[in-house]
Amino acid sequence: MEGFVLNLLNGLSWGMLLFLISVGLTTVFGVMGILNFAHGSFYMLGAYFCLEIMKYFNSFWIGLIVAPLFVAILGFIIEKTLLNKIYARDVIFQLLLTFAILLILDDSVRFIWGPGYHVINPPDILSGSVKVFTHSYPVYRFFLIILGPVVAVILWGFFHFTKAGKIIRAVASDREMAEGVGLNAPLVFSLVFAFGCWLAGLGGALASPIESVAPSMGEKIIIESFIVVVIGGMGSFPGAFIGALILGLVESFGTNLIGEIQMAIPYLVLAIILLVKPTGLFGKKIA
Amino acid sequence: MTTQKKDTILKVDNIHHSYGKFKVLNGISLEVKRGGITALIGPNGAGKTTFYNVISGKFPPTRGKIYFNNIDITGFPPHKIVKLKLLRSFQITNIFPELTVEENILIPLILKRGKCYSFFKDLKKYKEFYIEAENIMNNLGLIEFKNRTVSELAYGDKRLVEIGITFASDPEMILLDEPTAGMNPAETERTVNLIKDLSEKSNVTFFITEHDMNVVFSVSEYIFVLHQGSLLAQGTPEEIKNNQEVKEAYLGGSV
Amino acid sequence: MKKVFIFLLILFFLFLPKISSEYWTFIAIEVLIMGFFAMSFNLLMGYSGLLSFGHAGFFGVGAYTTAILLQHGFNSLFLILLIAIIVSLICSVVIGYLSVRQDEIYFAMITLGFGMMLYTIAHNWTDFTGGSDGLPLMNEPILNLFGKKISLISPENLYFFTFVIVFIGILILWKIINSPFGLILKGMRENKNRLNFSGGNISSIRLFAFTISGTLSGVAGFLFCLFSSMATPDFLHWSFSAKPVIMSILGGAWNFYGPMVGAAIFFALEQFIKMYTDNWMIFLGILLIPITILFPKGVLGTIYDYAKKRYNSKS
C-alpha cells in the first residue's frame, strides 16, 4: 500500500511536468506543423534562467515568473529569424533546423554554466516534507501535483474561452481551414511558438528544485514528451494531458515491477498504443 | 459489338457516403455498360468526385455495394482494385513530378507486370517495358517529351501524362475525373479527340465526369446526372438535353 | 568519362593507406563506414521520401552483435557478419512492420521511438551489453582468408577489409536503385497516392525498402565495431541517428554518392574545427542553419542544379 501511494505520487508529479512540456510541443506542432527538437532545450533554459535570476534576487518565485518570459522572448526571436523561413519546406529540413538550434543551445549552456550539476532549493514554504505512512515525502512534489491540474484548467480555460485560445485551437485542429480564413498571419505563428517556449521554460523552472539542473536535462525530457505527444495524438491538448499521466504513472510503477527493462517501458507503451490506434489516443485520422 | 455492349461492367448498388454528419451520397444505384464513353455530370457539389473516390477504393462507402465485372469490390484497397483493371485518373494533376515522362509511364508498367519486387536486375534490361512505354507515349503525342521532367511540362501535357499513367496499367475501365479541367480551348479539343481516339482503338470503357457540356454531349454515348448526392436522370445525350429536371437542377445549382 | 572518374577514385582509395599516415587512414575508414551508413539510410530518405530517425538502432544492433559474438569466442568474421546481417534484418522487419503505415513526421517519430527502445536495451541490459560503458572487444578480430590469418588490428588491413565490404554494399545499393524496384521507390517519394492508384502496395514497398536499408546499416555497424574496438550505447542514441541525416543533406540526398561525400565533408569539418575548439556541436549547429535554409536540395544537389542550369542556358 505504501509503495503504491509513493509510486502514485511520483508518477503524478513527473506526469505533470511532462504535461507542461508536451502541451507546448503539441500546440506548436498542431498550429505550425513543426515538431520542435529544441523544445527540451527551452525547458533546460527555463531551469538555467531561473538559477541565474535567483543569484540576483534570491527568490525562487521571481525566477519562476521571469525565467519563462525570457525563454519565450528567445523563442520569439528564433521563430522570427529562423523558423519562419522553412514552413513550406520538407519535414526533413524543419527537423534538422530545430536540431541545429538544439545543438547550439545545449552547447552554449555547457559553455556558459559548465557541464556540471547545479542544485536549486525550493522556496522555504515548500521545502519541508510530509509524512506519508512511514516515509517522508517532499512538499514540493505535492505542490507540482496540485499545480499540474491548476495549470491544465487555466490552459483549458484559455483555449476554450478566450479569443486567442480559440484561434489557436482552430488552427491546431485544421490547419488548412485556418489558412483558408487567413489565420496564418506570421504573428500568430511567432506568438504560438513563443507561447510553447514559455510553457517549456515554465516546466524547466518548476522542475529545477527536483531535477538536477544540467545540460543533459533537455535531451532526457524531449524524447519522453515526444512519446507523450505521439501516444496522445499529435496536436491534441487532452491527448497531451492523458498521455503525460499515462507515461508518468507507467514509468513510476515500472520501477518496482520490472527492473532491467524499466527504461524501455515508455517505448513499449508507444508501440502498443500505436499498434492499437496508429494516430494516438486523441489523434484525428490523417488524410 | 452491339451484343457485347449490353453487358454491364460496373454496377453500383445503393451506395451511401457521408463525412461525419454531412451526407454526400444518398443511395446511388447505376449500371455502366461495357465499351464506349459514359459520362457522369452534375452541378458542383453533386458528389461526383466522392462517387469516384468510393468506387476506386479511396474510402469505402458507408453503405451499399460495388461490383466490377461481377466481382464485389466494396471496401477493397486501391491497389487491389487496380489489379482487377479498374483505374482512375484524377481531377488534380496527379503525376510523379520530378521524374521523366518515360519514367512516369514505366512505373505502372512495372507494377502491372508484377516486377515491383525485382531488386537486382537492371531496369534497362526489361526492353519490353520501354517498347510499351514508347507505344503509349506515341498514342498520347508525348514522345517528344520522353526524357523531360514532368514538372517542366505545360499543364495540358501534364494531364496527358496523367492519362498515360492510367492507360499504362492496362485498364478495362478508366474513371476520368474532369479530364479537361483548367485547359484552354486548344488543349481541350486535343484531349477530347484523344479520348475518342483511345476509346475507338482500345476496348477500354471510359467513365468520365466533365463540367463542359459541349464536351459531354460530343463524346459520350450515355449520361448519368447526379444532383445533391442522388441520381437525377440517365439516358442518351439527346434525352438528357431535353430533360426538364436536369435543366432546373443546373439552373438552380449554378446560377 | 564517368567510368574513368570512378575507376580513378577506386584506385585512389586502394592506394590511400600507402600514401597517407595512420591517422588519416583511420579517418578514411571512419568516412567509408559512416558514408556507407548514410547511403543505406538515404535509400529511405532520398529515394523513398521516408525520414527515419532511428537508424542508429540498426547500426548499433550490428555493432553489438559483433561485439557480443567476438567476446563469446566466435572467430570467423564472415560468420559474425552473416549473423549480424540476420539479426539486423530481423530487427528491421519487426520495427519496419510497425512503422511503415505512418507518414512523414509520424514516421520520423515512431522510428525515433523504436531506435531509442533499442538504445535503452543496450544501455540497461548490463549483463549482456556491458551497460553504459559499452562492450570492448576482448579478442583480436582475425580474418581467415583462404587459410591466411589477417589481423584487423592493423589499420591498413582494417582499411582494406572495410573498403571491400563497403564496396560490395554500395554495389548492392547501386543495383537496387537501378532496378524496377528503384524506380518504384522514386515514384513513392514523388507521389505515393498515385503509386497506390497504379497498383502499388505502399506498406509492402516501404517495408522492403526499410528492411534493406536497416540491414545494410547493421553491416555498417558491424564494421564500426571493428573500427572502434567496441560497441557502446552511444551508437544507438537518437543523436547518432541525426548523423546520416546531416551527411545526406550535406552531400545531397538526391545524388547516389551524395551521402558519402557528405560524410567526408562532415569529418573534414570536424577535424578542422576540433583543432581550434572543443565546442564542435555549436559549430555544427551554426553550420546547419544556413544549410537547411539556403540549400533545399543539399549542398551538392544545389550546386549540381545550378551547374545544370548554367549548362542548359549555354547550349
Side-chain angles (χ1 to χ4, degrees):
Chain A
M1 186 59 199
E2 181 179 346
F4 177 84
V5 172
L6 286 176
N7 277 329
L8 187 70
L9 292 174
N10 282 334
L12 285 177
S13 55
W14 178 238
M16 285 308 128
L17 272 181
L18 271 181
F19 163 67
L20 275 182
I21 315 306
S22 311
V23 75
L25 195 64
T26 212
T27 308
V28 167
F29 176 79
V31 175
M32 308 160 74
I34 283 198
L35 196 70
N36 183 11
F37 262 120
H39 200 73
S41 307
F42 290 109
Y43 162 83
M44 171 195 67
L45 279 180
Y48 274 97
F49 285 175
C50 187
L51 177 86
E52 196 64 23
I53 291 162
M54 282 175 74
K55 279 187 197 158
Y56 300 99
F57 297 98
N58 200 25
S59 155
F60 175 73
W61 299 110
I62 292 179
L64 184 62
I65 290 164
V66 178
L69 289 179
F70 276 107
V71 178
I73 292 169
L74 184 66
F76 187 87
I77 295 169
I78 287 177
E79 198 282 338
K80 274 276 177 241
T81 50
L82 302 175
L83 286 180
N84 66 4
K85 307 221 168 14
I86 49 150
Y87 290 134
R89 295 270 289 286
D90 211 272
V91 165
I92 294 164
F93 292 95
Q94 301 174 350
L95 282 181
L96 263 188
L97 183 60
T98 60
F99 181 68
I101 296 168
L102 171 147
L103 289 177
I104 295 172
L105 292 181
D106 284 13
D107 238 20
S108 305
V109 164
R110 210 167 273 133
F111 189 69
I112 298 170
W113 284 283
Y117 288 94
H118 299 268
V119 177
I120 289 181
N121 293 322
D124 290 342
I125 187 171
L126 298 175
S127 61
S129 56
V130 175
K131 263 240 166 349
V132 175
F133 300 99
T134 54
H135 269 79
S136 53
Y137 198 78
V139 175
Y140 191 80
R141 280 186 179 266
F142 280 108
F143 168 67
L144 282 183
I145 295 171
I146 296 163
L147 192 72
V150 170
V151 173
V153 167
I154 293 174
L155 283 176
W156 183 79
F158 169 73
F159 280 123
H160 282 260
F161 298 115
T162 67
K163 196 177 169 210
K166 281 179 186 166
I167 291 178
I168 292 177
R169 236 161 27 100
V171 185
S173 65
D174 188 346
R175 277 209 297 152
E176 269 174 37
M177 186 213 74
E179 276 162 27
V181 250
L183 280 180
N184 61 343
L187 190 64
V188 176
F189 275 37
S190 311
L191 289 177
V192 166
F193 191 75
F195 177 65
C197 292
W198 180 79
L199 283 168
L202 182 69
L206 278 172
S208 59
I210 54 165
E211 297 276 303
S212 354
V213 179
S216 62
M217 68 188 283
E219 216 175 275
K220 182 178 166 235
I221 203 157
I222 184 68
I223 299 296
E224 289 200 17
S225 42
F226 274 165
I227 295 173
V228 167
V229 168
V230 174
I231 63 179
M234 299 183 75
S236 161
F237 178 81
F241 190 78
I242 303 293
L245 271 185
I246 292 178
L247 202 64
L249 290 173
V250 165
E251 277 184 64
S252 162
F253 281 98
T255 42
N256 300 39
L257 298 177
I258 327 154
E260 276 184 329
I261 57 164
Q262 172 220 333
M263 258 171 80
I265 289 174
Y267 310 105
L268 290 177
V269 174
L270 173 77
I272 291 165
I273 289 184
L274 283 182
L275 264 183
V276 182
K277 201 159 181 297
T279 51
L281 293 174
F282 291 82
K284 292 217 180 71
K285 196 172 162 34
I286 313 153
Chain B
M1 247 352 214
T2 40
T3 48
Q4 220 185 351
K5 275 202 170 176
K6 285 187 181 141
D7 152 40
T8 299
I9 184 162
L10 178 76
K11 184 178 163 197
V12 174
D13 188 11
N14 192 27
I15 59 170
H16 292 254
H17 191 79
S18 40
Y19 296 106
K21 285 175 200 152
F22 187 58
K23 284 194 171 173
V24 190
L25 303 177
N26 279 316
I28 298 176
S29 300
L30 55 81
E31 288 185 21
V32 180
K33 303 292 176 202
R34 189 181 303 279
I37 302 173
T38 305
L40 177 73
I41 62 171
N44 282 336
K48 290 171 292 186
T49 300
T50 306
F51 185 67
Y52 271 17
N53 281 339
V54 168
I55 296 177
S56 61
K58 187 162 184 187
F59 27 72
T62 30
R63 226 167 83 202
K65 292 274 178 202
I66 305 157
Y67 301 90
F68 180 68
N69 277 330
N70 292 323
I71 300 165
D72 182 355
I73 59 165
T74 320
F76 276 29
H79 64 267
K80 280 199 177 155
I81 293 179
V82 172
K83 293 244 153 62
L84 298 170
K85 302 190 171 178
L86 171 57
L87 271 290
R88 81 171 285 190
S89 89
F90 293 80
Q91 196 171 39
I92 305 157
T93 308
N94 208 337
I95 48 177
F96 305 106
E98 294 302 321
L99 301 181
T100 65
V101 173
E102 188 175 51
E103 286 172 327
N104 266 267
I105 308 290
L106 281 170
I107 285 176
L109 291 176
I110 293 168
L111 292 168
K112 177 177 75 178
R113 303 268 180 237
K115 294 295 176 200
C116 171
Y117 302 114
S118 165
F119 296 110
F120 298 114
K121 191 169 163 184
D122 195 336
L123 177 60
K124 297 210 171 60
K125 292 204 174 116
Y126 290 95
K127 291 250 161 47
E128 66 276 19
F129 290 179
Y130 286 86
I131 295 169
E132 210 179 331
E134 201 115 319
N135 267 332
I136 292 168
M137 288 185 286
N138 266 325
N139 278 335
L140 292 165
L142 286 170
I143 196 79
E144 55 176 315
F145 305 125
K146 185 176 159 184
N147 292 320
R148 289 272 295 279
T149 305
V150 182
S151 61
E152 296 169 1
L153 298 185
Y155 178 75
D157 293 322
K158 282 184 192 162
R159 298 296 315 236
L160 291 182
V161 173
E162 151 97 59
I163 293 175
I165 296 174
T166 312
F167 214 74
S169 300
D170 194 17
E172 276 187 41
M173 180 173 187
I174 296 184
L175 308 171
L176 275 181
D177 199 359
E178 302 251 358
T180 68
M183 287 188 179
N184 61 36
E187 285 174 333
T188 302
E189 199 189 329
R190 183 172 150 216
T191 308
V192 169
N193 288 334
L194 192 93
I195 293 171
K196 274 186 182 168
D197 196 44
L198 285 174
S199 163
E200 275 158 28
K201 272 192 203 157
S202 64
N203 296 319
V204 179
T205 309
F206 282 87
F207 191 22
I208 71 171
T209 71
E210 183 53 65
H211 63 284
D212 184 336
M213 286 304 137
N214 292 326
V215 173
V216 172
F217 291 129
S218 76
V219 300
S220 52
E221 290 148 34
Y222 200 80
I223 298 173
F224 294 99
V225 187
L226 277 194
H227 183 50
Q228 293 179 345
S230 306
L231 192 63
L232 182 70
Q234 56 177 302
T236 61
E238 275 311 304
E239 287 164 0
I240 296 297
K241 258 183 205 169
N242 299 320
N243 185 313
Q244 198 55 39
E245 273 185 297
V246 174
K247 280 182 192 167
E248 279 166 21
Y250 266 84
L251 287 176
S254 59
V255 180
Chain C
M1 180 63 201
K2 205 173 163 188
K3 274 184 185 157
V4 174
F5 179 71
I6 290 173
F7 179 74
L8 284 176
L9 206 67
I10 291 173
L11 218 60
F12 168 75
F13 275 115
L14 273 177
F15 285 99
L16 188 76
K18 304 281 181 205
I19 52 174
S20 77
S21 67
E22 217 167 71
Y23 179 76
W24 283 103
T25 304
F26 264 119
I27 290 182
I29 297 173
E30 198 171 2
V31 168
L32 280 176
I33 298 172
M34 290 306 290
F36 174 55
F37 177 35
M39 284 175 83
S40 315
F41 160 83
N42 197 44
L43 182 72
L44 280 185
M45 186 175 89
Y47 285 91
S48 323
L50 283 173
L51 176 62
S52 162
F53 235 93
H55 253 51
F58 307 118
F59 185 86
V61 163
Y64 268 100
T65 308
T66 310
I68 290 167
L69 289 177
L70 272 172
Q71 198 190 30
H72 286 80
F74 276 72
N75 48 20
S76 162
L77 273 184
F78 287 113
L79 185 64
I80 291 176
L81 175 61
L82 186 71
I83 297 173
I85 288 175
I86 293 169
V87 176
S88 38
L89 183 119
I90 293 169
C91 288
S92 315
V93 170
V94 172
I95 292 176
Y97 179 80
L98 294 172
S99 312
V100 290
R101 275 166 194 80
Q102 309 280 335
D103 270 322
E104 297 216 326
I105 195 90
Y106 301 86
F107 181 82
M109 294 314 331
I110 191 168
T111 46
L112 173 79
F114 285 126
M116 285 303 286
M117 183 162 94
L118 294 174
Y119 166 82
T120 47
I121 292 173
H123 192 275
N124 287 30
W125 197 358
T126 314
D127 299 341
F128 201 51
T129 62
S132 58
D133 296 337
L135 206 59
L137 294 192
M138 299 299 189
N139 301 315
E140 185 181 357
I142 292 171
L143 184 67
N144 195 333
L145 206 62
F146 309 116
K148 236 178 112 181
K149 292 202 191 290
I150 303 164
S151 167
L152 293 186
I153 293 292
S154 136
E156 202 178 319
N157 291 344
L158 182 62
Y159 177 86
F160 284 117
F161 181 69
T162 305
F163 182 78
V164 170
I165 303 277
V166 167
F167 184 80
I168 295 170
I170 291 177
L171 206 63
I172 291 173
L173 282 171
W174 176 251
K175 281 292 210 183
I176 288 170
I177 65 143
N178 286 296
S179 72
F181 183 69
L183 183 59
I184 297 293
L185 285 186
K186 287 182 218 164
M188 186 167 72
R189 174 192 74 205
E190 290 298 315
N191 190 340
K192 74 177 164 59
N193 236 335
R194 193 64 178 96
L195 192 72
N196 195 211
F197 279 100
S198 304
N201 183 342
I202 303 297
S203 301
S204 145
I205 293 166
R206 281 184 175 175
L207 184 56
F208 273 107
F210 192 87
T211 306
I212 294 167
S213 172
T215 307
L216 291 177
S217 303
V219 173
F222 158 82
L223 290 171
F224 203 70
C225 174
L226 298 177
F227 165 73
S228 48
S229 294
M230 67 188 311
T232 79
D234 288 350
F235 295 177
L236 299 92
H237 196 257
W238 67 276
S239 51
F240 204 94
S241 289
K243 284 189 181 181
V245 186
I246 295 170
M247 289 166 183
S248 302
I249 296 290
L250 267 178
W254 286 26
N255 184 296
F256 182 69
Y257 297 102
M260 183 61 87
V261 177
I265 300 174
F266 186 90
F267 283 108
L269 280 173
E270 191 179 9
Q271 291 304 318
F272 180 72
I273 289 171
K274 279 189 173 165
M275 287 196 307
Y276 299 99
T277 168
D278 281 339
N279 293 70
W280 149 244
M281 287 298 177
I282 290 190
F283 282 91
L284 180 61
I286 292 172
L287 191 79
L288 277 176
I289 286 175
I291 286 171
T292 49
I293 293 179
L294 299 177
F295 296 93
K297 281 190 164 182
V299 179
L300 271 193
T302 309
I303 293 172
Y304 179 76
D305 272 12
Y306 178 75
K308 203 169 114 186
K309 242 178 226 155
R310 284 287 296 267
Y311 178 79
N312 282 347
S313 64
K314 263 183 200 164
S315 61

